[in-house]
Amino acid sequence: MTGPAHRSVTVRVPAKVNCELRVGPRRRDGFHDLSTVFMAVGLHDEVTVSRAAHWRVEVTGLYAHLVPTDEANLALRAAKLLARHTRAARPASLIRIDKDIPVAGGMAGGSADAAATLLACDHLWGLRLDRSVLAEIAAQVGSDVPFALAGGIAVGSGRGDRLAPVLARGSFHWVFAVSDVGLSTPEVYAECDRLRGSDRIPTPEPGTAMMAALRSGDAEALAEVLHNDLQEPAFSLRPELRTVLDAGLEFGALGGIVSGSGPTVAFLTRSTEHALDLCVALTASGVASEVKRAKGPVHGAQVVAGPSRD
Ligand code: C5P
């Protein structure tokens, strides 16, 4: 299925949760060195890119009204960067994003859309770049974009963009308490710096207990070692998130954590049934504006319609 007859390509891309997020000191460039363990989870956006006379972004789905369609849109920035990098002829495209991943929720929704767009454009424009080249371009778009391409479970270092795959067994059942008001990632990092003051912050390194828990496939072991240095800063900016976390734990979650820079709170459960029970309890309590369920790990960005070699 290749050739110019294909006018559009659709890519499905997952959200992520950070099972571990260790934040180092602020760097000169404003970023922070991280040691993080990403897991791709089964909440997906779908991005369809088609050739068009002018660049345009359209967003549908539950959170469409929260997504910018101008130059601030990460997917548009990614497509234009790829076009410049490859000197693609007449690259102008219509980028349609169907969202199911919470916006500004700490689940890398915008990064996922950017990753999906890179892969879709790569196929639509007939570039067929090596995944490692796409990953380099992805890293220029945002710290979480390379992981959305890769999926699975990976340790992220540097800004979170340098990835090493992690061996893991089985599948984990997550429940996500979604907030209808997002948190700004730069503000959460800034709050992290403010709370730390002049404390000496060591270089972040992955925890060995985390690697062992992932290898064991044991959800209870994983629940015990969930760790996020951005959790306290997120609580500091949004105190009610602590109530959400406490509620999930009280309703029987094995463990819980703020996802990335928040405000989504992620809970680990034992099974599909356990996850369903937790969803019902959280929904009934009214602590979260929306509750979602997903398994992880899942694959990274994949072409689902249009020219594909995968
Ligand atoms: O790379 P990305 O665009 O996702 O980062 C958004 C913001 O999050 C950055 O501008 C920075 O303020 C903060 N950040 C950071 N250190 C990282 C990743 C992100 O300080 N490793």
Side-chain angles (χ1 to χ4, degrees):
M1 294 222 306
T2 56
H6 288 282
R7 297 282 162 112
S8 72
V9 178
T10 300
V11 172
R12 198 161 178 261
V13 66
K16 61 84 182 164
V17 62
N18 303 77
C19 300
E20 180 171 83
L21 178 47
R22 298 187 186 275
V23 179
R26 189 173 181 278
R27 308 190 314 203
R28 285 228 182 105
D29 64 2
F31 284 88
H32 297 72
D33 276 323
L34 304 181
S35 173
T36 189
V37 176
F38 292 110
M39 184 185 294
V41 296
L43 284 182
H44 291 92
D45 282 356
E46 263 190 24
V47 177
T48 302
V49 181
S50 12
R51 293 197 181 272
H54 308 283
W55 287 104
R56 200 151 53 89
V57 179
E58 281 175 13
V59 188
T60 54
L62 211 47
Y63 310 98
H65 61 291
L66 299 172
V67 180
T69 54
D70 59 9
E71 295 295 322
N73 187 290
L74 226 48
L76 182 59
R77 295 215 310 247
K80 288 188 173 178
L81 185 66
L82 183 67
R84 270 205 309 280
H85 182 88
T86 58
R87 299 196 176 88
R90 299 200 304 116
S93 300
L94 165 62
I95 303 169
R96 275 176 297 167
I97 305 172
D98 190 14
K99 288 214 69 70
D100 200 30
I101 305 175
V103 174
M107 300 193 76
S111 301
D113 299 340
T117 302
L118 287 177
L119 189 60
C121 290
D122 176 61
H123 280 68
L124 184 68
W125 302 342
L127 303 171
R128 306 302 170 107
L129 297 175
D130 200 84
R131 279 263 179 166
S132 63
V133 177
L134 272 188
E136 272 171 39
I137 297 168
Q140 292 174 44
V141 181
S143 312
D144 292 340
V145 184
F147 178 71
L149 275 179
I153 304 181
V155 172
S157 57
R159 285 188 290 123
D161 56 330
R162 289 209 306 265
L163 301 176
V166 169
L167 269 184
R169 184 176 301 161
S171 188
F172 297 94
H173 300 262
W174 295 91
V175 168
F176 299 101
V178 179
S179 166
D180 53 4
V181 185
L183 266 175
S184 145
T185 302
E187 280 175 27
V188 177
Y189 275 100
E191 184 66 1
C192 179
D193 293 335
R194 194 188 68 80
L195 292 175
R196 285 171 164 183
S198 56
D199 293 354
R200 214 196 128 272
I201 308 298
T203 305
E205 284 178 13
T208 48
M210 170 58 65
M211 295 303 142
L214 290 167
R215 265 199 311 275
S216 74
D218 178 353
E220 290 189 35
L222 181 59
E224 258 177 47
V225 293
L226 295 173
H227 177 89
N228 183 1
D229 281 345
L230 294 181
Q231 180 158 300
E232 282 307 318
F235 285 165
S236 167
L237 294 173
R238 194 72 72 71
E240 61 272 27
L241 292 182
R242 206 184 281 277
T243 316
V244 179
L245 181 61
D246 290 346
L249 296 176
E250 196 176 306
F251 295 141
L254 300 177
I257 194 170
V258 167
S259 179
S261 56
T264 303
V265 182
F267 297 102
L268 262 179
T269 63
R270 211 173 294 117
S271 60
T272 303
E273 295 70 33
H274 188 197
L276 276 168
D277 288 348
L278 183 62
C279 283
V280 170
L282 282 169
T283 305
S285 74
V287 291
S289 29
E290 205 193 341
V291 182
K292 288 180 173 280
R293 198 165 55 85
K295 281 197 273 185
V298 297
H299 286 295
Q302 279 183 315
V303 174
V304 292
S308 166
R309 64 176 166 182
D310 302 321

Coordinates of all heavy atoms in Angstrom, one line a residue, residues 30-34 74 77 111 139 141-144 158-160 185-187 189, ligand 1:
G30 N 17.4 25.9 31.3 CA 16.0 26.0 31.9 C 15.4 24.7 32.1 O 14.4 24.5 32.8
F31 N 15.9 23.6 31.4 CA 15.4 22.3 31.6 C 16.0 21.6 32.8 O 16.9 22.2 33.4 CB 15.7 21.4 30.3 CG 14.8 21.8 29.2 CD1 15.1 22.8 28.3 CD2 13.6 21.1 29.0 CE1 14.3 23.1 27.2 CE2 12.8 21.4 27.9 CZ 13.1 22.4 27.0
H32 N 15.5 20.5 33.1 CA 16.0 19.7 34.3 C 16.5 18.3 33.8 O 15.8 17.7 33.0 CB 14.9 19.5 35.3 CG 14.5 20.8 35.9 ND1 13.7 21.7 35.2 CD2 14.7 21.3 37.2 CE1 13.4 22.7 36.0 NE2 14.0 22.5 37.2
D33 N 17.6 17.9 34.3 CA 18.0 16.5 33.9 C 17.0 15.6 34.7 O 16.7 15.8 35.8 CB 19.4 16.2 34.4 CG 20.4 16.6 33.3 OD1 20.1 16.5 32.1 OD2 21.5 17.2 33.6
L34 N 16.6 14.5 34.0 CA 15.6 13.6 34.6 C 16.1 12.2 34.6 O 17.0 11.8 33.8 CB 14.3 13.6 33.7 CG 13.6 14.8 33.4 CD1 12.3 14.5 32.6 CD2 13.2 15.5 34.7
L74 N 1.6 21.6 19.0 CA 2.8 20.8 18.9 C 2.9 20.0 17.6 O 4.0 19.7 17.1 CB 2.9 20.0 20.1 CG 4.2 19.9 20.9 CD1 4.8 21.3 21.1 CD2 4.1 19.1 22.2
R77 N 3.9 22.2 14.8 CA 5.3 22.5 14.9 C 6.2 21.3 14.4 O 7.2 21.5 13.8 CB 5.7 22.9 16.3 CG 5.0 24.2 16.7 CD 5.7 25.1 17.7 NE 6.3 24.4 18.8 CZ 5.9 24.7 20.1 NH1 4.9 25.5 20.3 NH2 6.5 24.1 21.1
S111 N 2.5 15.9 23.1 CA 3.7 15.2 22.6 C 3.3 14.0 21.8 O 3.9 13.7 20.7 CB 4.5 14.7 23.8 OG 4.9 15.8 24.6
A139 N 12.8 14.8 19.5 CA 13.4 15.3 20.7 C 13.4 16.9 20.6 O 13.4 17.6 21.6 CB 14.8 14.8 20.9
V141 N 11.2 18.6 19.2 CA 9.8 19.2 19.4 C 9.4 19.2 20.9 O 8.8 20.2 21.3 CB 8.8 18.3 18.6 CG1 7.4 18.9 18.8 CG2 9.2 18.2 17.1
G142 N 9.8 18.2 21.6 CA 9.5 18.2 23.1 C 10.1 17.0 23.7 O 10.4 16.0 23.1
S143 N 10.3 17.1 25.0 CA 11.0 16.1 25.8 C 10.3 14.7 25.7 O 11.0 13.7 25.8 CB 11.2 16.5 27.2 OG 11.7 17.8 27.3
D144 N 9.0 14.7 25.7 CA 8.3 13.4 25.8 C 7.9 12.8 24.4 O 7.4 11.8 24.3 CB 6.9 13.6 26.5 CG 7.1 14.0 28.0 OD1 8.2 13.7 28.5 OD2 6.2 14.5 28.6
G158 N 18.5 12.5 30.4 CA 18.7 13.9 29.7 C 17.4 14.6 30.1 O 17.0 14.6 31.2
R159 N 16.8 15.3 29.1 CA 15.5 16.0 29.4 C 14.3 15.0 29.4 O 13.2 15.4 29.6 CB 15.2 16.9 28.2 CG 16.0 18.2 28.2 CD 15.5 19.1 27.1 NE 15.8 18.6 25.7 CZ 14.8 18.4 24.8 NH1 13.6 18.6 25.1 NH2 15.2 18.0 23.6
G160 N 14.6 13.7 29.3 CA 13.6 12.7 29.3 C 13.5 12.1 27.8 O 12.7 11.2 27.5
T185 N 3.1 22.5 32.6 CA 4.3 21.8 32.9 C 5.5 22.8 33.4 O 6.1 22.5 34.4 CB 4.8 21.0 31.7 OG1 3.7 20.1 31.4 CG2 6.1 20.2 32.0
P186 N 5.7 23.9 32.6 CA 6.8 24.8 33.1 C 6.5 25.3 34.5 O 7.4 25.5 35.3 CB 6.8 25.9 32.1 CG 6.2 25.4 30.9 CD 5.2 24.3 31.3
E187 N 5.2 25.6 34.8 CA 4.9 26.1 36.2 C 5.1 25.1 37.2 O 5.6 25.4 38.4 CB 3.4 26.6 36.2 CG 3.2 27.9 35.6 CD 1.8 28.4 35.5 OE1 1.0 27.9 36.3 OE2 1.5 29.1 34.6
Y189 N 7.4 22.6 37.1 CA 8.9 22.5 37.3 C 9.4 23.7 38.1 O 10.2 23.6 39.0 CB 9.6 22.5 35.9 CG 9.7 21.1 35.4 CD1 8.9 20.6 34.4 CD2 10.7 20.2 35.8 CE1 9.0 19.3 33.9 CE2 10.8 18.9 35.3 CZ 9.9 18.5 34.4 OH 10.1 17.2 33.9
Ligands
C5P1 O1 10.1 19.6 26.4 P1 8.7 20.1 26.8 O2 8.3 21.1 25.8 O3 7.7 19.0 27.0 O4 8.9 20.8 28.1 C1 8.0 21.7 28.6 C2 8.6 22.5 29.7 O5 8.7 21.7 30.9 C3 9.9 23.1 29.5 O6 9.9 24.4 28.9 C4 10.5 23.2 30.9 O7 10.0 24.3 31.6 C5 9.9 22.0 31.6 N1 10.8 20.8 31.5 C6 12.0 20.8 32.3 N2 12.8 19.7 32.3 C7 12.6 18.7 31.5 C8 11.4 18.6 30.7 C9 10.5 19.7 30.7 O8 12.2 21.8 33.0 N3 13.4 17.7 31.5

